[in-house]
């Protein structure tokens, strides 16, 4: 029995969290397993495995004893400087996680504040003083996995030291331009770019961000809407990496003064995936963003979007109407295109002609006529719309209503017997009416043409592989407006973190929605130019749920967490 472990057990006993009988029962289990009975770490392991005590309780009693702060790593905003200050090997060996760092000291989350040897060793290696905070061991291990191991620590370094023997080997079976014929200097760069793309696909990233900073070249993946930093390549290789990506995307390598857009087509097994590449000159070089467009990802059924059965039935009725305008609103990245594509997929039958005008055409749909906007030759949204109407379509999708001309043609198309789908950038559903009127559409036309508006946001979905039942903080539930009686029948869940979700506890995203259905009463109010507040109040009176309330339903059902809904929505009372 080590003195530190004995001390922890004594603290737990003194605090009334542990009975002597439980310790004796755990010691008996250790003896049965063949240990010598003096390894108190094994006794602690048994008590933890039996859920007699928890890592959180151990962290709390140690913090209380030494007058230290307990830190919740799930709520911490991780500092990049801190991650760079404490190498992965140190964090993993000593089970610590860096929180903040400056030139003189580093703030560390530690599970065992009694292990002064570990703290001294870390301080000696990083040549800075240490300020300790206490955190549960399992939370530290999860954070290390998420922010270090998730980045495949050390893999980038290996690429630049020993790749010459097999420059074409890829972590994932994808077809990209090979390194054949490349010089010894170029081959590692080619393989590194391949690895970055391969790893992004493996981790379900939607974007790859390569950002030149003053002293480093930062690489991040956007996964389920959240950016995760991975190990950065050496700053000196920045020009070579940027040039390689520009070459693959068929844009000018020599032009570094203006933004450029290009595409990379890759084959992953039987699937074809497009990377939409954007370059932007910055103070320290060209920033590159690669948007990953997986055509399979848009073939979603309506339940996968996040609709409950009642909302889905309402949505299906709206999109099956013979004429009118149906708008989906929300900020960039809120899943508007996915919702519209899924709607088109649902109503795409041989007896209907569907034409879309998009900028750009990101996903190809079988049986749908898709038109690409080309402003340089005069093919604008408005020009394409005029021509589309002569093609006698049943359903028209306009990528976005951006100006009066496009809005007028879309409204007129709806009034002449076409069903028109489009998107707008507004914060909520009723605001779409005000936006159309602000653009210059007459209120009586808006009232006559608009059938419904769907506002939406995306929240991360609890990982189905590692989610467990849990109790959420009461203050958090109160801030969402969840009443105690609602909690009685709730199925609160959270993801613990596993390999499938890279330790985040989340896998995939789901929509939260607000459906503004324009009936005769609301048509009359729009015609009379009622205020936005009056429209919203009337819609609420007639049963419209706002996005926060829909999010609350998904929290109660265990689909997502309160934090996700709070971050994505605002209260009506604000």
């Amino acid at each position: 029995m080590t003195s530190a472990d004995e001390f922890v057990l004594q603290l737990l006993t003194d605090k009334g969290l542990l009975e002597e009988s439980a310790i004796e029962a755990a010691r008996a289990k250790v003896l049965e397993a063949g240990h010598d009975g003096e390894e108190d770490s094994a006794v602690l392991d048994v008590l933890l495995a039996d859920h007699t005590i928890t890592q959180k309780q151990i962290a709390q009693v140690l913090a209380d004893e030494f007058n230290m702060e307990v830190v919740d790593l799930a709520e911490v905003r991780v500092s990049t400087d801190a991650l760079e200050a404490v190498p992965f090997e140190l964090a993993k060996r000593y089970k610590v996680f860096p929180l903040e760092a400056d030139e003189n000291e580093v703030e560390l989350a530690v599970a065992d504040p009694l292990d002064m040897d570990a703290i001294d060793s870390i301080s000696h290696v990083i040549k800075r003083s240490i300020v300790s905070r206490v955190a549960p061991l399992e939370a530290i291990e999860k954070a290390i996995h998420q922010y270090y191991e998730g980045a495949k620590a050390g893999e980038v370094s290996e690429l630049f030291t020993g790749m010459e023997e097999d420059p074409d080997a890829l972590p994932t079976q994808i077809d990209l331009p090979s390194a054949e014929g490349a010089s010894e200097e170029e081959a590692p760069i080619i393989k590194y770019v391949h690895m970055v793309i391969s790893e992004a696909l493996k981790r379900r990233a939607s974007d790859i961000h390569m950002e030149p900073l003053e002293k480093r070249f930062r690489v991040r993946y956007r996964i389920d809407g959240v950016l995760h930093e991975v190990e950065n390549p050496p700053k000196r290789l920045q020009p070579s990496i940027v040039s390689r990506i520009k070459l693959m995307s068929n844009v000018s390598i020599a032009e570094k003064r203006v933004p450029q857009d290009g595409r990379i087509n890759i084959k992953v097994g039987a699937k074809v995936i497009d990377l939409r590449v954007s370059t932007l000159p910055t103070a320290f070089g060209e920033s590159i963003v690669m948007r990953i467009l997986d055509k399979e990802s848009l073939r979603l059924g309506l339940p996968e979007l996040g609709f409950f059965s009642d909302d889905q039935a309402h949505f299906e009725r709206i999109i099956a109407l013979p004429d009118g305008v149906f708008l989906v609103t929300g900020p960039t990245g809120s899943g508007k295109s996915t919702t519209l594509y899924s709607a088109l997929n649902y109503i795409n039958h041989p007896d209907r002609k569907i034409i879309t005008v998009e900028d750009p055409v990101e996903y190809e749909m079988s049986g749908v006529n898709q038109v690409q906007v080309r402003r340089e030759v005069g093919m604008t949204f408005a020009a394409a719309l005029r021509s589309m109407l002569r093609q006698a379509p049943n359903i028209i999708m306009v990528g976005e209503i951006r100006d009066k001309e496009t809005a007028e043609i879309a409204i007129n198309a709806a009034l002449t017997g076409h069903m028109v789908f489009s998107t707008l950038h507004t914060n909520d559903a009723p605001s779409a009416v005000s936006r159309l009127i602000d653009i210059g559409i007459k209120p009586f036309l808006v009232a006559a043409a608009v059938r419904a508006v769907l506002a939406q946001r995306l929240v991360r979905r609890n990982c189905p592989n590692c989610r467990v039942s849990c109790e959420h903080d009461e203050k958090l539930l109160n801030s969402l407006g969840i009443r105690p009686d609602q909690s009685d029948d709730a199925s609160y869940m959270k993801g613990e973190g596993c390999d499938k979700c890279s330790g985040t506890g989340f896998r995939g995203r789901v929509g939260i929605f607000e459906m503004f259905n324009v009936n005769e009463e609301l048509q009359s109010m729009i015609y009379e130019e009622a205020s936005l507040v009056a429209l919203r109040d009337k819609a609420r009176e007639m049963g419209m749920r706002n996005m926060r309330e829909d999010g609350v339903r998904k929290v109660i059902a265990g689909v997502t967490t309160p934090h996700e809904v709070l971050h994505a929505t605002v209260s009506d009372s604000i």
Side-chain angles (χ1 to χ4, degrees), residues 129-319:
S129 60
I130 302 295
V131 177
S132 298
R133 303 281 185 268
V134 182
L137 178 60
E138 59 193 3
I140 291 175
E141 289 176 334
K142 181 177 176 180
I144 291 171
H145 176 81
Q146 180 177 346
Y147 291 98
Y148 285 108
E149 291 181 322
K152 294 215 164 202
E155 194 164 325
V156 175
S157 304
E158 292 167 10
L159 281 170
F160 298 105
T161 54
M163 295 191 305
E164 292 81 359
E165 69 279 2
D166 188 12
D168 290 324
L170 291 172
T172 306
Q173 188 58 45
I174 67 174
D175 294 336
L176 281 164
S178 73
E180 188 176 346
S183 67
E184 287 189 11
E185 187 178 323
E186 292 172 331
I189 302 298
I190 293 171
K191 185 171 181 184
Y192 172 71
V193 172
H194 290 195
M195 187 216 71
V196 168
I197 296 173
S198 303
E199 186 63 20
L201 295 173
K202 199 182 296 181
R203 296 180 63 181
R204 304 176 298 103
S206 60
D207 305 277
I208 305 169
H209 293 251
M210 294 184 160
E211 302 156 317
L213 305 178
E214 184 178 6
K215 295 182 180 178
R216 60 197 181 98
F217 189 40
R218 181 167 66 180
V219 179
R220 297 190 288 178
Y221 296 149
R222 190 183 296 279
I223 303 169
D224 295 332
V226 178
L227 284 168
H228 297 267
E229 186 165 349
V230 298
E231 189 174 353
N232 302 328
K235 176 71 173 175
R236 61 186 170 81
L237 296 172
Q238 174 184 315
S240 301
I241 293 170
V242 170
S243 294
R244 174 61 187 169
I245 293 170
K246 290 172 74 174
L247 181 67
M248 291 168 65
S249 53
N250 293 316
V251 300
S252 171
I253 295 176
E255 183 55 77
K256 300 178 181 180
R257 300 163 299 171
V258 297
Q260 297 185 81
D261 295 307
R263 284 196 175 222
I264 302 172
N265 293 313
I266 61 175
K267 194 171 183 184
V268 184
K271 287 202 306 184
V272 175
I273 290 177
D274 289 340
L275 300 179
R276 198 169 74 200
V277 182
S278 170
T279 72
L280 179 70
T282 70
F284 302 109
E286 288 179 281
S287 172
I288 287 183
V289 175
M290 289 181 273
R291 176 108 184 265
I292 299 172
L293 305 175
D294 181 1
K295 295 171 185 176
E296 297 290 327
S297 69
L298 264 289
R299 294 177 186 172
L300 295 176
L302 299 184
E304 284 76 25
L305 293 176
F307 288 114
F308 285 118
S309 56
D310 56 342
D311 290 334
Q312 183 177 328
H314 186 196
F315 184 76
E316 289 172 1
R317 283 196 301 272
I318 295 294
I319 62 178

